Short mmCIF file of all heavy atoms in Angstrom, two decimals:
data_model
loop_
_atom_site.label_atom_id
_atom_site.label_comp_id
_atom_site.label_asym_id
_atom_site.label_seq_id
_atom_site.Cartn_x
_atom_site.Cartn_y
_atom_site.Cartn_z
N LEU A 20 11.79 49.33 -3.99
CA LEU A 20 11.28 48.12 -3.39
C LEU A 20 12.35 47.06 -3.26
O LEU A 20 12.44 46.36 -2.21
CB LEU A 20 10.13 47.59 -4.23
CG LEU A 20 9.50 46.27 -3.70
CD1 LEU A 20 8.97 46.41 -2.29
CD2 LEU A 20 8.33 45.81 -4.64
N ARG A 23 14.45 47.76 -0.23
CA ARG A 23 13.72 47.44 1.00
C ARG A 23 13.73 45.93 1.29
O ARG A 23 13.80 45.50 2.45
CB ARG A 23 12.29 47.96 0.94
CG ARG A 23 12.18 49.47 0.88
CD ARG A 23 10.71 49.95 0.74
NE ARG A 23 10.58 51.35 0.52
CZ ARG A 23 10.56 52.27 1.46
NH1 ARG A 23 10.62 51.90 2.75
NH2 ARG A 23 10.43 53.56 1.17
N LEU A 24 13.61 45.14 0.23
CA LEU A 24 13.54 43.70 0.39
C LEU A 24 14.88 43.10 0.90
O LEU A 24 14.89 42.22 1.74
CB LEU A 24 13.13 43.01 -0.89
CG LEU A 24 11.70 43.27 -1.37
CD1 LEU A 24 11.44 42.53 -2.69
CD2 LEU A 24 10.70 42.84 -0.34
N VAL A 25 15.98 43.60 0.33
CA VAL A 25 17.29 43.06 0.74
C VAL A 25 17.87 43.70 1.98
O VAL A 25 18.87 43.26 2.52
CB VAL A 25 18.31 43.18 -0.45
CG1 VAL A 25 17.84 42.38 -1.64
CG2 VAL A 25 18.55 44.62 -0.81
N GLY A 26 17.18 44.71 2.46
CA GLY A 26 17.66 45.38 3.65
C GLY A 26 17.25 44.71 4.93
O GLY A 26 17.72 45.09 6.01
N ARG A 27 16.42 43.70 4.81
CA ARG A 27 15.97 42.96 6.02
C ARG A 27 16.33 41.51 5.86
O ARG A 27 16.38 40.95 4.77
CB ARG A 27 14.42 43.07 6.15
CG ARG A 27 13.92 44.50 6.32
CD ARG A 27 14.05 44.92 7.78
NE ARG A 27 13.19 44.12 8.64
CZ ARG A 27 11.90 44.37 8.85
NH1 ARG A 27 11.31 45.40 8.26
NH2 ARG A 27 11.17 43.57 9.62
N THR A 28 16.59 40.81 6.98
CA THR A 28 16.87 39.39 6.94
C THR A 28 15.63 38.67 6.49
O THR A 28 14.58 38.65 7.22
CB THR A 28 17.34 38.88 8.30
OG1 THR A 28 18.52 39.61 8.69
CG2 THR A 28 17.64 37.41 8.25
N SER A 29 15.67 38.02 5.37
CA SER A 29 14.51 37.33 4.82
C SER A 29 14.96 36.41 3.69
O SER A 29 16.15 36.33 3.39
CB SER A 29 13.49 38.36 4.24
OG SER A 29 14.12 39.08 3.18
N ALA A 30 13.99 35.74 3.09
CA ALA A 30 14.30 34.89 1.96
C ALA A 30 14.79 35.71 0.81
O ALA A 30 15.60 35.21 -0.02
CB ALA A 30 13.08 34.09 1.52
N PHE A 31 14.37 36.95 0.71
CA PHE A 31 14.82 37.80 -0.38
C PHE A 31 16.30 38.17 -0.28
O PHE A 31 17.02 38.23 -1.23
CB PHE A 31 13.97 39.09 -0.40
CG PHE A 31 12.47 38.85 -0.55
CD1 PHE A 31 11.64 39.08 0.54
CD2 PHE A 31 11.98 38.35 -1.74
CE1 PHE A 31 10.28 38.82 0.43
CE2 PHE A 31 10.61 38.11 -1.84
CZ PHE A 31 9.75 38.32 -0.77
N LYS A 32 16.73 38.39 0.96
CA LYS A 32 18.15 38.65 1.19
C LYS A 32 18.95 37.39 0.95
O LYS A 32 20.09 37.46 0.46
CB LYS A 32 18.38 39.16 2.59
CG LYS A 32 19.81 39.60 2.89
CD LYS A 32 19.91 40.26 4.26
CE LYS A 32 21.29 40.81 4.48
NZ LYS A 32 21.44 41.46 5.80
N VAL A 42 12.22 40.24 -8.38
CA VAL A 42 10.94 40.15 -7.67
C VAL A 42 10.30 41.48 -7.57
O VAL A 42 9.08 41.68 -7.86
CB VAL A 42 11.12 39.49 -6.30
CG1 VAL A 42 9.83 39.61 -5.50
CG2 VAL A 42 11.55 38.06 -6.42
N LEU A 66 1.74 36.78 -7.27
CA LEU A 66 1.85 36.08 -6.00
C LEU A 66 2.09 34.61 -6.22
O LEU A 66 2.97 33.99 -5.57
CB LEU A 66 0.59 36.32 -5.15
CG LEU A 66 0.62 35.68 -3.77
CD1 LEU A 66 1.75 36.28 -2.92
CD2 LEU A 66 -0.75 35.89 -3.03
N LEU A 69 5.63 34.17 -7.49
CA LEU A 69 6.63 34.42 -6.42
C LEU A 69 6.75 33.21 -5.52
O LEU A 69 7.86 32.73 -5.19
CB LEU A 69 6.24 35.63 -5.63
CG LEU A 69 7.13 35.97 -4.43
CD1 LEU A 69 8.53 36.21 -4.82
CD2 LEU A 69 6.56 37.13 -3.65
N ILE A 70 5.59 32.65 -5.11
CA ILE A 70 5.63 31.48 -4.18
C ILE A 70 6.29 30.30 -4.89
O ILE A 70 7.11 29.61 -4.25
CB ILE A 70 4.21 31.14 -3.75
CG1 ILE A 70 3.66 32.28 -2.83
CG2 ILE A 70 4.18 29.80 -2.98
CD1 ILE A 70 2.22 32.09 -2.39
N LEU A 73 10.23 30.96 -5.25
CA LEU A 73 11.03 30.90 -4.04
C LEU A 73 10.64 29.81 -3.06
O LEU A 73 11.05 29.82 -1.90
CB LEU A 73 11.00 32.27 -3.34
CG LEU A 73 11.50 33.50 -4.12
CD1 LEU A 73 11.43 34.75 -3.27
CD2 LEU A 73 12.90 33.26 -4.66
N GLN A 76 13.49 28.15 -1.46
CA GLN A 76 14.45 29.03 -0.79
C GLN A 76 14.05 29.38 0.61
O GLN A 76 14.55 30.37 1.21
CB GLN A 76 14.60 30.31 -1.60
CG GLN A 76 15.03 30.10 -3.04
CD GLN A 76 16.42 29.51 -3.17
OE1 GLN A 76 17.30 29.69 -2.31
NE2 GLN A 76 16.66 28.73 -4.24
N GLY A 77 13.15 28.61 1.22
CA GLY A 77 12.72 28.83 2.62
C GLY A 77 11.74 29.98 2.75
O GLY A 77 11.65 30.63 3.80
N LEU A 78 10.97 30.26 1.70
CA LEU A 78 10.00 31.35 1.75
C LEU A 78 8.91 31.04 2.76
O LEU A 78 8.33 29.96 2.75
CB LEU A 78 9.34 31.56 0.40
CG LEU A 78 8.37 32.76 0.23
CD1 LEU A 78 9.17 34.05 0.24
CD2 LEU A 78 7.56 32.62 -1.05
N VAL A 79 8.66 32.00 3.70
CA VAL A 79 7.65 31.80 4.71
C VAL A 79 6.71 32.99 4.67
O VAL A 79 6.91 33.96 3.93
CB VAL A 79 8.26 31.64 6.12
CG1 VAL A 79 9.12 30.40 6.20
CG2 VAL A 79 9.11 32.87 6.46
N PHE A 80 5.65 32.89 5.47
CA PHE A 80 4.67 33.98 5.48
C PHE A 80 5.28 35.30 5.85
O PHE A 80 4.87 36.36 5.34
CB PHE A 80 3.50 33.62 6.43
CG PHE A 80 2.49 34.77 6.56
CD1 PHE A 80 1.74 35.17 5.50
CD2 PHE A 80 2.37 35.39 7.77
CE1 PHE A 80 0.84 36.22 5.62
CE2 PHE A 80 1.51 36.45 7.92
CZ PHE A 80 0.70 36.83 6.85
N ALA A 81 6.23 35.32 6.78
CA ALA A 81 6.87 36.54 7.21
C ALA A 81 7.54 37.27 6.03
O ALA A 81 7.58 38.52 5.98
CB ALA A 81 7.90 36.26 8.29
N ASP A 82 8.02 36.49 5.07
CA ASP A 82 8.67 37.09 3.90
C ASP A 82 7.62 37.80 3.03
O ASP A 82 7.83 38.87 2.54
CB ASP A 82 9.37 36.04 3.07
CG ASP A 82 10.50 35.36 3.86
OD1 ASP A 82 11.25 36.07 4.53
OD2 ASP A 82 10.62 34.11 3.78
N LEU A 83 6.44 37.17 2.83
CA LEU A 83 5.42 37.84 2.08
C LEU A 83 4.80 39.03 2.79
O LEU A 83 4.39 39.97 2.17
CB LEU A 83 4.31 36.79 1.73
CG LEU A 83 4.72 35.69 0.75
CD1 LEU A 83 3.58 34.78 0.43
CD2 LEU A 83 5.34 36.27 -0.51
N LYS A 84 4.76 38.89 4.11
CA LYS A 84 4.31 40.06 4.87
C LYS A 84 5.26 41.23 4.73
O LYS A 84 4.86 42.40 4.60
CB LYS A 84 4.18 39.65 6.38
CG LYS A 84 3.62 40.76 7.27
CD LYS A 84 3.49 40.28 8.71
CE LYS A 84 2.92 41.38 9.59
NZ LYS A 84 2.82 40.94 10.99
N LEU A 85 6.55 40.92 4.74
CA LEU A 85 7.60 41.94 4.47
C LEU A 85 7.36 42.53 3.11
O LEU A 85 7.48 43.75 2.91
CB LEU A 85 8.98 41.35 4.62
CG LEU A 85 10.11 42.21 4.10
CD1 LEU A 85 10.26 43.47 4.92
CD2 LEU A 85 11.46 41.43 4.17
N LEU A 86 7.12 41.69 2.12
CA LEU A 86 6.94 42.18 0.74
C LEU A 86 5.73 43.12 0.70
O LEU A 86 5.78 44.21 0.05
CB LEU A 86 6.66 41.01 -0.21
CG LEU A 86 6.30 41.36 -1.64
CD1 LEU A 86 7.44 42.09 -2.31
CD2 LEU A 86 5.97 40.09 -2.46
N ALA A 87 4.62 42.75 1.36
CA ALA A 87 3.43 43.62 1.31
C ALA A 87 3.71 44.94 2.03
O ALA A 87 3.34 46.05 1.55
CB ALA A 87 2.28 42.91 2.03
N THR A 88 4.42 44.87 3.15
CA THR A 88 4.74 46.11 3.90
C THR A 88 5.66 47.01 3.10
O THR A 88 5.49 48.25 2.96
CB THR A 88 5.38 45.77 5.24
OG1 THR A 88 4.46 44.96 6.00
CG2 THR A 88 5.70 47.06 6.03
N ALA A 89 6.71 46.41 2.49
CA ALA A 89 7.66 47.16 1.71
C ALA A 89 7.03 47.76 0.49
O ALA A 89 7.33 48.89 0.09
CB ALA A 89 8.84 46.29 1.30
N THR A 90 6.10 47.01 -0.17
CA THR A 90 5.42 47.52 -1.33
C THR A 90 4.55 48.72 -0.98
O THR A 90 4.44 49.74 -1.71
CB THR A 90 4.55 46.42 -2.00
OG1 THR A 90 5.42 45.33 -2.29
CG2 THR A 90 3.92 46.93 -3.26
N GLN A 92 5.01 50.79 1.53
CA GLN A 92 5.90 51.91 1.83
C GLN A 92 6.44 52.53 0.50
O GLN A 92 6.48 53.79 0.37
CB GLN A 92 7.07 51.46 2.70
CG GLN A 92 6.62 51.05 4.09
CD GLN A 92 7.75 50.39 4.91
OE1 GLN A 92 8.79 50.00 4.31
NE2 GLN A 92 7.58 50.25 6.17
N LEU A 116 -2.61 42.13 -1.15
CA LEU A 116 -1.37 41.32 -1.25
C LEU A 116 -1.08 40.57 0.01
O LEU A 116 -0.82 39.36 0.03
CB LEU A 116 -0.17 42.18 -1.66
CG LEU A 116 1.19 41.50 -1.68
CD1 LEU A 116 1.22 40.35 -2.68
CD2 LEU A 116 2.31 42.54 -1.99
N ALA A 117 -1.16 41.28 1.17
CA ALA A 117 -0.94 40.64 2.47
C ALA A 117 -2.03 39.63 2.77
O ALA A 117 -1.75 38.55 3.28
CB ALA A 117 -0.88 41.73 3.53
N LEU A 118 -3.26 39.99 2.43
CA LEU A 118 -4.41 39.11 2.73
C LEU A 118 -4.28 37.81 1.90
O LEU A 118 -4.42 36.68 2.40
CB LEU A 118 -5.73 39.81 2.44
CG LEU A 118 -6.99 39.01 2.70
CD1 LEU A 118 -7.10 38.66 4.16
CD2 LEU A 118 -8.23 39.83 2.26
N LEU A 119 -4.03 37.91 0.60
CA LEU A 119 -3.92 36.76 -0.28
C LEU A 119 -2.77 35.89 0.12
O LEU A 119 -2.79 34.65 0.06
CB LEU A 119 -3.81 37.20 -1.72
CG LEU A 119 -5.10 37.74 -2.36
CD1 LEU A 119 -4.81 38.24 -3.78
CD2 LEU A 119 -6.16 36.68 -2.40
N ALA A 120 -1.64 36.54 0.52
CA ALA A 120 -0.47 35.82 0.97
C ALA A 120 -0.81 34.95 2.17
O ALA A 120 -0.41 33.75 2.26
CB ALA A 120 0.67 36.75 1.29
N ALA A 121 -1.53 35.54 3.13
CA ALA A 121 -1.97 34.76 4.32
C ALA A 121 -2.83 33.59 3.96
O ALA A 121 -2.69 32.48 4.45
CB ALA A 121 -2.68 35.71 5.31
N GLN A 122 -3.79 33.84 3.04
CA GLN A 122 -4.73 32.78 2.63
C GLN A 122 -3.93 31.66 1.93
O GLN A 122 -4.18 30.46 2.18
CB GLN A 122 -5.78 33.38 1.70
CG GLN A 122 -6.77 34.27 2.41
CD GLN A 122 -7.75 34.91 1.43
OE1 GLN A 122 -7.57 34.83 0.23
NE2 GLN A 122 -8.79 35.56 1.96
N ARG A 123 -3.03 32.04 1.04
CA ARG A 123 -2.26 31.04 0.32
C ARG A 123 -1.39 30.19 1.26
O ARG A 123 -1.32 28.98 1.09
CB ARG A 123 -1.35 31.75 -0.70
CG ARG A 123 -2.05 32.24 -1.94
CD ARG A 123 -2.61 31.15 -2.76
NE ARG A 123 -1.54 30.28 -3.27
CZ ARG A 123 -0.91 30.52 -4.45
NH1 ARG A 123 -1.29 31.53 -5.20
NH2 ARG A 123 0.03 29.70 -4.85
N PHE A 124 -0.80 30.82 2.30
CA PHE A 124 0.00 30.05 3.20
C PHE A 124 -0.81 29.16 4.09
O PHE A 124 -0.38 28.07 4.39
CB PHE A 124 0.91 30.96 4.04
CG PHE A 124 2.29 31.14 3.47
CD1 PHE A 124 2.59 32.09 2.52
CD2 PHE A 124 3.30 30.29 3.88
CE1 PHE A 124 3.84 32.18 1.98
CE2 PHE A 124 4.59 30.38 3.36
CZ PHE A 124 4.86 31.33 2.42
N VAL A 125 -1.99 29.60 4.49
CA VAL A 125 -2.87 28.78 5.32
C VAL A 125 -3.29 27.57 4.46
O VAL A 125 -3.26 26.41 4.94
CB VAL A 125 -4.11 29.57 5.78
CG1 VAL A 125 -5.14 28.62 6.38
CG2 VAL A 125 -3.71 30.58 6.81
N ARG A 128 -0.24 25.31 3.99
CA ARG A 128 0.09 24.57 5.23
C ARG A 128 -0.89 23.46 5.45
O ARG A 128 -0.51 22.34 5.85
CB ARG A 128 0.10 25.56 6.39
CG ARG A 128 0.48 24.96 7.72
CD ARG A 128 1.89 24.36 7.66
NE ARG A 128 2.89 25.34 7.27
CZ ARG A 128 3.50 26.13 8.16
NH1 ARG A 128 3.21 26.05 9.44
NH2 ARG A 128 4.41 26.97 7.73
#
Side-chain angles (χ1 to χ4, degrees):
L20 179 57
R23 294 178 188 273
L24 293 179
V25 297
R27 299 277 297 275
T28 301
S29 64
F31 303 109
K32 187 173 184 178
V42 169
L66 183 61
L69 175 62
I70 293 176
L73 300 184
Q76 303 296 331
L78 186 73
V79 296
F80 174 65
D82 298 318
L83 292 184
K84 184 178 179 182
L85 168 63
L86 174 63
T88 302
T90 304
Q92 293 170 348
L116 174 60
L118 181 62
L119 287 174
Q122 292 175 347
R123 286 292 298 271
F124 263 87
V125 169
R128 183 59 58 87

